């Protein structure tokens, strides 16, 4: 509760009791190493520091991708290509139907900008907040009036003492437009430094703090999505029966009473398949769903499942000589 992140972890159960539904907390730096180890142990060949420039097409079939690297442009051929870019970077070039509608003010119509502050004396901060509530409110008011923000979230890892982090959400309907992205990145960084300086000045416990790291790039929440072989809509969130080709089952946590009535949400394999294109799967936020469905089911845990399902399907296609759209349901 003190982490200020209740929404991500705690919900009311059918009896009205607050319960921890899940905690998805890792050390991100150790996590980077662990993911690389897992990929190598699985036999994957990693190729980092590449930027996908476009697909290699043969008719309506995707045969690989072109990448830009420090060594120049290269072609990578593949029997199956999986777009897990998050933004559907291949989609504008493959000729499939897409949508990009986002409702202004919604969760997915926002960039995320995150930074960590370290060496914070949270004991001192807690004592100040609890014993001098009026002085605390005054400090928050000064920080806000001078262009900063006093909001922060506490780290949940026991070995990271004195670490807090800030997760700003910044509205945008143009999450792949580089001019807007540059403006938001620069202005958000400036706001972060201003907030930190004001916290040091006015908030007990932050006197010796420092900004340890900021996100390497803006976090996009929405954007381009396919209209696939199956298009998930708001009505599908109230479906109580699995699809014949269900490849993922998610807890429905965020919709209040509707979540209690319909506690599970199902994802069909067809939602990963763009229409009219062979050799390509979409396993990220860009898979086939409308705005309302995406608002609840395009977060990290969901995309991990999309990726695992697409990877398994691609492996079956390659080893059994199948086309990507073919699937032995059941």
């Amino acid at each position: 509760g003190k982490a200020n992140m209740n929404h991500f972890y705690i919900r009311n159960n059918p009896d009205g009791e607050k319960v921890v539904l899940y905690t998805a907390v890792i050390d991100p730096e150790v996590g980077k190493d662990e993911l690389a180890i897992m990929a190598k142990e699985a036999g994957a060949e990693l190729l980092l520091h590449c930027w996908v420039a476009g697909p290699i097409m043969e008719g309506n079939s995707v045969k690989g991708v072109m990448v830009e690297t420090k060594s120049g442009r290269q072609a990578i051929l593949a029997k199956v290509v999986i777009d897990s870019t998050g933004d559907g970077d291949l989609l504008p070039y493959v000729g499939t139907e897409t949508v990009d509608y986002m409702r202004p003010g919604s969760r997915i119509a926002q960039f995320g900008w995150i930074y960590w502050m370290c060496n914070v004396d949270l004991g001192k901060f807690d004592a100040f907040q609890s014993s001098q509530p009026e002085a605390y409110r005054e400090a928050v008011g000064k920080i806000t009036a001078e262009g900063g923000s006093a909001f922060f979230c506490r780290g949940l890892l026991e070995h990271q003492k004195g670490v807090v982090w800030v997760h700003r959400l910044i509205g945008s309907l143009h999450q792949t437009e580089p001019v807007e992205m540059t403006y938001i990145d620069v202005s958000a960084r400036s706001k972060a430094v201003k907030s930190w300086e004001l916290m040091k000045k006015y908030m007990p416990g932050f006197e010796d703090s420092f900004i340890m790291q900021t996100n390497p790039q803006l976090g996009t929440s929405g954007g381009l999505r396919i209209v696939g072989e199956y298009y998930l809509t708001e009505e599908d969130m109230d479906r109580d029966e699995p699809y014949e080709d269900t490849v993922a089952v998610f807890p429905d946590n965020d919709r209040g009473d509707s979540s209690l009535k319909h506690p599970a949400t199902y994802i069909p394999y067809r939602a990963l398949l763009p229409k009219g294109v062979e050799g390509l799967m979409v396993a990220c936020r860009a898979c086939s769903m409308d705005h309302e469905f995406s608002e609840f089911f395009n977060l990290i845990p969901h995309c991990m499942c999309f990726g695992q399902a697409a990877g398994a399907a691609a492996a079956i296609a390659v080893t059994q000589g199948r086309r990507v759209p073919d699937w032995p349901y059941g």
Side-chain angles (χ1 to χ4, degrees):
K2 278 191 173 183
N4 296 332
M5 298 297 287
N6 281 1
H7 170 72
F8 286 96
Y9 307 122
I10 300 173
R11 302 287 192 283
N12 290 336
N13 67 12
D15 298 325
E17 301 168 329
K18 291 190 178 299
V19 296
V20 175
L21 291 184
Y22 61 83
T23 56
V25 181
I26 65 169
D27 183 317
E29 300 307 317
V30 175
K32 294 172 188 177
D33 178 58
E34 188 63 29
L35 289 171
I37 292 172
M38 292 170 66
K40 289 188 288 185
E41 286 179 345
E45 180 181 346
L46 296 175
L47 188 59
L48 307 179
H49 305 287
C50 291
W51 191 266
V52 174
I56 299 171
M57 302 293 297
E58 184 178 288
N60 69 335
S61 296
V62 180
K63 297 297 185 180
V65 294
M66 299 296 298
V67 298
E68 298 284 358
T69 74
K70 292 289 187 179
S71 299
R73 179 168 290 191
Q74 300 177 18
I76 301 175
L77 300 179
K79 295 179 180 179
V80 179
V81 173
I82 302 172
D83 187 331
S84 288
T85 60
D87 298 314
D89 287 345
L90 292 176
L91 300 183
Y93 312 103
V94 299
T96 192
E97 182 181 359
T98 60
V99 294
D100 61 0
Y101 168 73
M102 294 181 285
R103 177 166 38 82
S106 62
R107 179 190 66 80
I108 67 171
Q110 306 197 54
F111 281 115
W113 204 90
I114 303 169
Y115 63 97
W116 287 19
M117 290 182 283
C118 298
N119 208 33
V120 177
D121 187 337
L122 286 169
K124 186 175 182 179
F125 170 83
D126 287 338
F128 172 67
Q129 186 182 43
S130 60
S131 65
Q132 302 180 60
E134 186 59 38
Y136 168 74
R137 286 191 290 270
E138 182 179 340
V140 171
K142 288 179 179 179
I143 292 168
T144 303
E146 295 184 29
S149 170
F151 174 80
F152 65 86
C153 303
R154 297 171 188 246
L156 296 179
L157 298 172
E158 291 185 356
H159 66 283
Q160 293 185 348
K161 303 297 183 184
V163 175
V164 303
W165 57 289
V166 179
H167 186 172
R168 283 193 66 198
L169 293 176
I170 305 167
S172 174
L173 298 177
H174 308 285
Q175 297 188 22
T176 57
E177 209 294 304
V179 173
E180 178 159 349
M181 295 175 75
T182 299
Y183 170 77
I184 290 176
D185 194 301
V186 171
S187 59
R189 194 175 302 278
S190 178
K191 177 71 175 282
V193 173
K194 169 67 76 173
S195 297
W196 165 64
E197 291 174 339
L198 292 171
M199 292 289 277
K200 283 171 61 72
K201 181 178 180 180
Y202 292 119
M203 195 63 74
F206 283 79
E207 296 88 345
D208 298 321
S209 66
F210 59 94
I211 296 177
M212 184 180 76
Q213 68 177 13
T214 60
N215 49 206
Q217 62 186 28
L218 288 174
T220 53
S221 303
L224 202 64
R225 304 181 299 276
I226 60 171
V227 178
E229 294 294 338
Y230 189 94
Y231 188 55
L232 291 158
T233 67
E234 185 175 9
E235 288 72 25
D236 289 300
M237 291 188 281
D238 293 339
R239 178 189 175 103
D240 294 320
E241 294 294 328
Y243 303 91
E244 183 183 16
D245 58 335
T246 293
V247 290
V249 182
F250 300 135
D252 186 340
N253 297 332
D254 296 300
R255 299 190 299 133
D257 289 341
S258 293
S259 295
L260 298 177
K261 294 176 183 176
H262 310 284
T265 299
Y266 305 97
I267 306 296
Y269 170 67
R270 290 163 291 161
L272 309 181
L273 300 178
K275 284 184 179 179
V277 179
E278 294 190 5
L280 176 66
M281 306 182 71
V282 178
C284 57
R285 288 183 287 101
C287 70
S288 183
M289 57 180 73
D290 71 2
H291 169 91
E292 296 303 329
F293 199 100
S294 188
E295 180 79 357
F296 295 101
F297 296 102
N298 80 349
L299 292 159
I300 292 171
H302 312 123
C303 291
M304 290 172 66
C305 292
F306 300 152
Q308 183 175 4
I316 292 172
V318 171
T319 56
Q320 297 186 5
R322 297 176 179 268
R323 299 180 313 132
V324 161
D326 296 336
W327 180 266
Y329 299 134

